[in-house]
Amino acid sequence: MTPASVIAPEAWDRWVAQHPYGTLLQTCRWGELKSAFDWKAQLVRLGEPTQPLAGALLLSRRWILDWAA
C-alpha cells in the first residue's frame, strides 16, 4: 500500500461511484463547489493510483474565534 498521493479526479469519481458507501459528497465536483466558498478540498487515499483501497474527500476551512464578542 502506498500513502496518499495524487489521483486523477476522473479515477477518484469512478471509484466513489462504484463504492457501496460512495456519495456525491465525496466527489471531486463537490470539493470544487466547496472551494468556491473558502473551503480547501483534499483527496486522501490508500492504495494504487487507479484503484484506491480506502479514501475520503477532506474539507477544511480556517475558523477564527472571536473571544472578545
Side-chain angles (χ1 to χ4, degrees):
M1 245 185 323
T2 58
S5 62
V6 177
I7 184 170
E10 303 81 26
W12 177 264
D13 288 345
R14 275 193 307 274
W15 182 73
V16 168
Q18 64 84 29
H19 196 279
Y21 298 111
T23 70
L24 169 72
L25 302 179
Q26 290 296 316
T27 64
C28 290
R29 288 184 187 236
W30 182 253
E32 290 171 8
L33 176 67
K34 295 295 282 185
S35 293
F37 297 95
D38 297 327
W39 289 86
K40 180 181 176 188
Q42 286 182 283
L43 295 176
V44 177
R45 63 147 184 90
L46 295 174
E48 298 304 317
T50 57
Q51 187 59 40
L53 297 174
L57 172 68
L58 299 180
L59 296 170
S60 59
R61 184 175 181 183
R62 186 176 174 147
W63 187 38
I64 300 173
L65 296 175
D66 185 5
W67 295 104

